[in-house]
């Protein structure tokens, strides 16, 4: 997990002003950290941190891997929550999956089908934050599928921003 944080900080430190040699050195170092994390996850002794490591890879690997590989890390992070009981980090995998699958150009009806399954599963566990997050992604996809006069508004079958906002304000 710590490795993932180091990779995120190092990658975020690369700016347009970073000299090319320094940027390449940081990218190679971070790529090596991702490989080390993958190796640790295959070791039975370190398997207890599997969900956290996969979650870290889900967030950091897009800098070094294809979206297809990153999507698999995200799915694996969600799936390992059953083995490890790490529901928090498993739900992070669904967020990564939602963002990466959309960015990779997954067909929208398949995207909605898979996200709906994740949302339903997390909803049965009472995970309000993750189900709301997935509902936002589902509604965004729905806005692409069904054109509306206000495509920027998230209001439809999956999520209604007006209802959510008024509820969030009343609860604060």
């Amino acid at each position: 997990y710590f490795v993932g944080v180091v990779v995120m900080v190092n990658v975020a430190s690369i700016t347009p002003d970073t000299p090319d040699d320094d940027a390449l050195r940081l990218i190679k170092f971070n790529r090596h950290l991702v490989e080390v994390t993958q190796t640790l996850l295959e070791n039975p002794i370190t398997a207890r941190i599997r969900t956290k490591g996969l979650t870290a890879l889900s967030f950091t690997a897009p800098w070094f891997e294809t979206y297809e590989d990153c999507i698999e890390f995200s799915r694996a992070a969600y799936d390992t929550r059953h083995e490890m009981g790490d529901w928090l980090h498993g739900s992070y995998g669904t967020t990564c999956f939602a963002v990466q699958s959309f960015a990779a150009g997954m067909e929208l009806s398949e995207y909605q089908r898979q996200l709906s399954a994740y949302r339903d599963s997390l909803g049965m566990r009472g995970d309000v934050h993750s189900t709301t997050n997935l509902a936002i992604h589902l509604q965004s996809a729905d806005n692409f599928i069904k054109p509306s006069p206000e495509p920027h508004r998230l209001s439809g079958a999956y999520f209604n921003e007006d209802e959510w906002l008024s509820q969030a304000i009343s609860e604060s």
Side-chain angles (χ1 to χ4, degrees), residues 29-102:
F29 174 73
N30 292 328
R31 177 69 184 120
H32 180 70
L33 286 176
V34 168
E35 290 169 0
V36 167
T37 302
Q38 287 174 293
T39 303
L40 288 172
L41 293 177
E42 293 167 4
N43 182 338
I45 295 171
T46 58
R48 286 184 42 208
I49 61 161
R50 180 179 281 304
T51 310
K52 290 178 184 175
L54 285 165
T55 301
L57 284 175
S58 298
F59 281 108
T60 58
W63 290 90
F64 315 105
E65 302 286 345
T66 65
Y67 272 125
E68 289 75 18
D69 290 338
C70 297
I71 289 167
E72 290 311 310
F73 292 139
S74 299
R75 280 188 175 129
Y78 174 79
D79 292 341
T80 59
R81 84 201 193 303
H82 288 294
E83 297 170 31
M84 304 296 139
D86 189 348
W87 296 97
L88 174 64
H89 290 91
S91 68
Y92 291 160
T94 63
T95 299
C96 291
F97 175 83
V99 171
Q100 294 161 357
S101 298
F102 188 83

Side-chain angles (χ1 to χ4, degrees), residues 8 24 90 92 94 101 125 134 144 165-166:
M8 282 190 266
L24 286 173
Y92 291 160
T94 63
S101 298
R125 299 269 322 146
L134 293 177
F144 279 102
L165 184 59
S166 64

